[in-house]
């Protein structure tokens, strides 16, 4: 008995270690990993900049514009406080570990064996990396909350039992996603309706009020402190305006969210990559097994795609929230049709086929490592020769020609220059693309900021040189600034001395 318990604990430790290794390899996809500090994507740069403003005493929405939920800025601020260089990466690593851990738990709940559950985690690397773009995005953190909640809902429907704290956690996860980006809540819309329907169907309506109270209690634990924080710092009105009203304009903009663009986006997500495979698996299982939860997951996946496509944009990282349902489909299909169930385990051929299949799928684990080698090793090898990227070259010029207290501005979408140079934006609008195209008042206010604040330096990104608003800004630039340098078609202007 003792040996059996020791063996089970050892196997559990091994599985968790394996999940951590997978998480670490996946974390090499982050542009801002420990081997490439300072290299962040455009969206991530905005979030980190807002977090830096918060740490310096400012507030999102009030002092700097962005239209994502406040939780992403709080997460990044926590990461920066944890460690200015790798703190956010550590939080992302923890997030990926949670995603893979609950992927493993989902597989185990579906009665997959330990090796098969580990294999599902391995496949998860390929699935997640398909949609991954740079890292530190709202979809990445939302994916963790969605995966946790899908596990809880799955446990309710399969085991027919759920703990009170799990309902609270489900409510907290729902609220957390609402505070990231509200159009990622498809799993709770479908599953909560299904839970109510299940209670009514089984004549257990008395549990519905209990579930609702616990769920709302969990949501309150997340939302209320954030709302109080916004109100106390006079940022609640700006939060409503930027997060709700602006996003409504963004998702209904006729130039972006046209019917054609929405249809193209839906087609892009349904037919592209892992989602198409998941639909095939779920369709087959629904026809053959007609299991209730298979139907629910298919509905969640469809609704998630529809809600992600509402803006008409085809961005791969939107698909990260599809991951939980996709990994569920893989686990269900692999369990139902694993070779171990079709062929006798005593058949050596079956073992060989299993071994080859496992090696092929485990090979996907090397994808992040290969990407790491291709992307980062050249720069690491030449680090001592002072080979700087264009971004770092521009940041070096900014630091050389300005003091830390001086304000600068970047015309376009390039918050990475504020981060690398450790300078602040002279305008509330640290970036103007694509937001100024959604609301023209943003560009008018930004031009007023340049005219009145007179930032010490202006960096104009290449793709803005042929855009009409740049011509309007050029009038101010020609009057008050000198062209200092051009780096990779980035125009760098310095304020004239009076």
């Amino acid at each position: 008995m003792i040996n059996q318990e020791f063996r089970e604990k050892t196997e559990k430790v091994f599985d968790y270690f394996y999940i951590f290794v997978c998480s670490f390899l996946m974390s090499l996809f982050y542009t801002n990993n420990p081997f490439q500090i300072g290299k962040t994507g455009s969206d991530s740069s905005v979030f980190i900049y807002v977090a830096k403003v918060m740490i310096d005493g400012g507030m999102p929405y009030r002092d700097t514009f962005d239209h994502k939920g406040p939780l992403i800025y709080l997460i990044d601020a926590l990461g920066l406080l944890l460690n200015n260089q790798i703190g956010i990466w550590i939080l992302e690593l923890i997030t990926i570990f949670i995603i893979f851990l609950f992927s493993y738990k989902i597989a185990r709940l579906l009665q997959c064996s330990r090796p098969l559950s580990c294999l599902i985690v391995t496949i998860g690397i390929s699935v997640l990396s398909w949609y991954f773009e740079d890292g530190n995005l709202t979809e990445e953190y939302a994916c963790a909350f969605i995966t946790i909640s899908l596990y809880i809902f799955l446990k309710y429907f399969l085991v027919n039992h759920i703990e009170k704290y799990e309902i609270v956690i489900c409510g907290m996860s729902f609220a957390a996603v609402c505070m990231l980006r509200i159009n990622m809540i498809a799993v709770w819309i479908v599953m909560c309706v299904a839970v109510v329907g299940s209670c009514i169907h089984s004549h257990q309506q008395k549990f519905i009020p209990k579930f609702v109270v616990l769920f709302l209690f969990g949501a309150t634990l997340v939302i209320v402190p954030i709302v109080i924080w916004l109100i106390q710092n006079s940022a609640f009105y700006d939060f409503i305006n930027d997060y709700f009203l602006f996003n409504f304009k963004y998702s209904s903009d006729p130039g972006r969210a046209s019917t054609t663009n929405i249809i193209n986006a839906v087609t892009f997500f349904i037919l592209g990559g892992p989602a198409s495979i998941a639909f095939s698996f779920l369709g087959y299982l629904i026809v053959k097994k007609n299991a209730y939860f298979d139907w629910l997951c298919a509905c969640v996946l469809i609704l998630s795609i529809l809600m992600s496509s509402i803006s008409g944009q085809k961005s791969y990282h939107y698909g990260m929230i599809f991951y939980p349902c996709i990994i569920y489909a893989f686990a269900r299909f692999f369990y139902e049709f694993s070779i171990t169930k079709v062929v006798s385990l005593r058949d050596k051929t079956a073992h060989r086929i299993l071994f080859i299949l496992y090696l092929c799928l485990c090979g996907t684990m090397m994808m992040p490592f290969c990407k790491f080698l291709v992307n980062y090793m050249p720069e690491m090898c030449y680090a001592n020769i002072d080979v700087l990227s264009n971004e770092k070259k521009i940041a070096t010029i900014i630091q050389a020609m300005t003091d830390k207290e001086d304000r600068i501005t970047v015309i376009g979408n390039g918050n990475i220059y504020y981060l690398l140079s450790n300078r602040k934006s002279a305008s509330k609008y640290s970036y103007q693309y694509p937001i100024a195209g959604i609301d023209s008042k943003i560009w008018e206010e930004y031009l007023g900021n340049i005219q009145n604040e007179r930032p010490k330096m202006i960096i104009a990104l290449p793709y803005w040189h042929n855009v009409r608003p740049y011509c309007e800004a050029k009038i101010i630039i020609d009057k008050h600034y000198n062209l200092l340098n051009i780096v990779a078609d980035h125009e760098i202007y310095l304020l004239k001395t009076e």
Side-chain angles (χ1 to χ4, degrees):
M1 181 67 179
I2 296 177
N3 290 335
Q4 179 66 22
E5 291 180 358
F6 178 76
R7 180 182 177 184
E8 290 177 356
K9 288 182 179 179
T10 303
E11 290 175 344
K12 191 173 184 179
V13 170
F14 172 81
D15 289 351
Y16 279 34
F17 176 74
Y18 181 83
I19 293 170
F20 175 79
V21 170
C22 289
S23 303
F24 179 78
L25 290 174
M26 186 69 219
S27 74
L28 296 179
F29 269 107
Y30 304 142
T31 51
N32 192 25
N33 62 63
F35 304 98
Q36 193 69 10
I37 293 171
K39 189 173 183 180
T40 57
S42 58
D43 287 356
S44 177
S45 296
V46 173
F47 305 151
I48 297 174
Y49 178 77
V50 175
K52 282 182 173 288
V53 170
M54 291 166 56
I55 291 174
D56 291 338
M59 284 293 293
Y61 314 115
R62 186 193 71 189
D63 299 314
T64 183
F65 178 91
D66 193 41
H67 55 99
K68 296 298 191 294
L71 186 57
I72 184 66
Y73 316 127
L74 291 169
I75 291 172
D76 279 11
L78 175 61
L80 292 174
L81 291 172
L82 185 64
N83 186 284
N84 191 55
Q85 292 187 322
I86 64 170
I88 293 174
W89 175 80
I90 291 173
L91 294 183
E92 288 184 286
L93 177 58
I94 293 171
T95 299
I96 294 298
F97 179 80
I98 291 172
I99 292 172
F100 286 162
L101 175 62
F102 278 87
S103 300
Y104 173 87
K105 287 180 173 290
I106 287 172
R108 294 292 284 158
L109 200 57
L110 291 170
Q111 299 182 346
C112 293
S113 63
R114 283 183 48 256
L116 183 55
S117 298
C118 288
L119 179 61
I120 294 300
V121 174
T122 308
I123 294 172
I125 296 179
S126 292
V127 174
L128 205 56
S129 63
W130 180 272
Y131 299 111
F132 208 80
E133 289 183 310
D134 297 333
N136 190 39
L137 301 173
T138 55
E139 292 83 3
E140 174 187 343
Y141 300 108
C143 183
F145 294 116
I146 295 170
T147 308
I148 292 170
S149 296
L150 186 67
Y151 168 77
I152 293 172
F153 284 120
L154 179 62
K155 182 180 177 183
Y156 170 79
F157 283 105
L158 291 189
V159 183
N160 198 27
H161 175 73
I162 195 170
E163 300 292 342
K164 293 180 180 178
Y165 75 87
E166 291 177 316
I167 303 175
V168 173
I169 290 174
C170 195
M172 293 175 67
S173 298
F174 165 77
V177 172
C178 286
M179 291 290 100
L180 287 168
R181 210 179 74 216
I182 205 164
N183 69 329
M184 301 187 292
I185 60 172
V187 67
W188 292 280
I189 294 175
V190 173
M191 294 299 177
C192 287
V193 171
V195 169
V196 172
S198 176
C199 288
I200 295 174
H201 183 263
S202 58
H203 304 290
Q204 295 180 328
Q205 293 92 328
K206 61 180 181 180
F207 291 112
I208 295 177
K210 175 184 174 182
F211 290 160
V212 171
V213 169
L214 290 172
F215 184 88
L216 292 178
F217 174 70
T220 301
L221 291 176
V222 174
I223 293 177
V224 170
I226 292 177
V227 170
I228 292 174
W229 169 64
L230 291 168
I231 292 174
Q232 286 183 337
N233 290 278
S234 304
F236 184 73
Y237 172 80
D238 296 299
F239 160 69
I240 297 296
N241 187 61
D242 296 351
Y243 185 51
F244 289 100
L245 300 182
F246 179 84
N247 276 329
F248 178 76
K249 291 181 181 178
Y250 188 89
S251 60
S252 59
D253 177 62
R256 300 168 65 88
S258 64
T259 302
T260 301
N261 286 343
I262 292 174
I263 293 174
N264 288 338
V266 171
T267 305
F268 171 78
F269 288 123
I270 289 179
L271 300 181
S276 61
I277 301 174
F279 276 121
S280 300
F281 287 171
L282 288 173
Y284 186 85
L285 290 166
I286 286 171
V287 171
K288 291 294 183 180
K289 299 293 182 179
N290 197 29
Y292 187 48
F293 207 82
D294 292 341
W295 280 100
L296 293 179
C297 274
C299 290
V300 170
L301 191 53
I302 292 171
L303 184 59
S304 296
I305 289 174
L306 292 175
M307 294 178 72
S308 297
S309 304
I310 195 170
S311 65
Q313 302 305 298
K314 296 184 290 186
S315 297
Y316 275 103
H317 64 267
Y318 289 177
M320 290 182 70
I321 64 170
F322 311 154
Y323 170 88
C325 287
I326 291 174
I327 215 64
Y328 166 86
F330 272 87
R332 276 280 287 135
F333 186 84
F334 271 59
Y335 172 72
E336 291 294 338
F337 298 94
S338 62
I339 299 175
T340 55
K341 296 189 69 177
V342 178
V343 185
S344 171
L345 283 174
R346 295 180 181 179
D347 188 344
K348 292 183 179 180
T349 302
H351 280 288
R352 290 170 183 158
I353 294 174
L354 272 176
F355 182 70
I356 293 172
L357 178 63
Y358 191 79
L359 284 179
C360 291
L361 291 171
C362 282
T364 60
M365 288 182 61
M366 298 305 295
M367 290 175 58
F369 186 65
C370 292
K371 179 182 171 103
F372 162 73
L373 291 176
V374 171
N375 288 353
Y376 306 134
M377 284 304 291
E379 291 190 28
M380 291 174 65
C381 292
Y382 290 103
N384 296 326
I385 311 179
D386 196 28
V387 176
L388 297 177
S389 65
N390 292 322
E391 290 86 357
K392 290 181 180 179
K393 287 179 181 178
I394 294 172
T396 301
I397 294 172
I398 295 171
Q399 289 177 324
M401 302 302 297
T402 63
D403 296 325
K404 190 173 181 181
E405 296 76 21
D406 292 330
R407 298 297 181 104
I408 67 170
T409 189
V410 179
I411 301 179
N413 190 338
N415 277 49
I416 190 172
Y417 298 111
Y418 302 118
L419 303 181
L420 292 177
S421 65
N422 196 25
R423 299 294 186 264
K424 287 187 178 180
S425 171
S427 171
K428 175 180 178 179
Y429 303 100
S430 60
Y431 69 100
Q432 308 83 46
Y433 176 83
I435 57 174
I438 306 299
D439 187 348
S440 59
K441 292 181 180 179
I442 290 176
W443 182 251
E444 294 174 7
E445 187 175 341
Y446 175 72
L447 286 176
N449 294 151
I450 296 179
Q451 179 69 42
N452 298 326
E453 297 295 330
R454 302 280 175 81
K456 187 68 177 290
M457 292 189 76
I458 295 178
I459 297 90
L461 272 58
Y463 55 82
W464 269 75
H465 296 169
N466 297 319
V467 179
R468 183 185 62 83
Y470 172 73
C471 298
E472 298 175 9
K474 196 69 166 60
I475 298 173
I476 301 173
I477 292 172
D478 290 341
K479 184 176 181 181
H480 301 287
Y481 291 83
N482 291 319
L483 179 62
L484 181 66
N485 205 336
I486 298 178
V487 179
D489 293 331
H490 290 62
E491 296 176 356
I492 304 173
Y493 296 94
L494 181 67
L495 184 66
K496 294 178 181 178
T497 54
E498 299 295 337

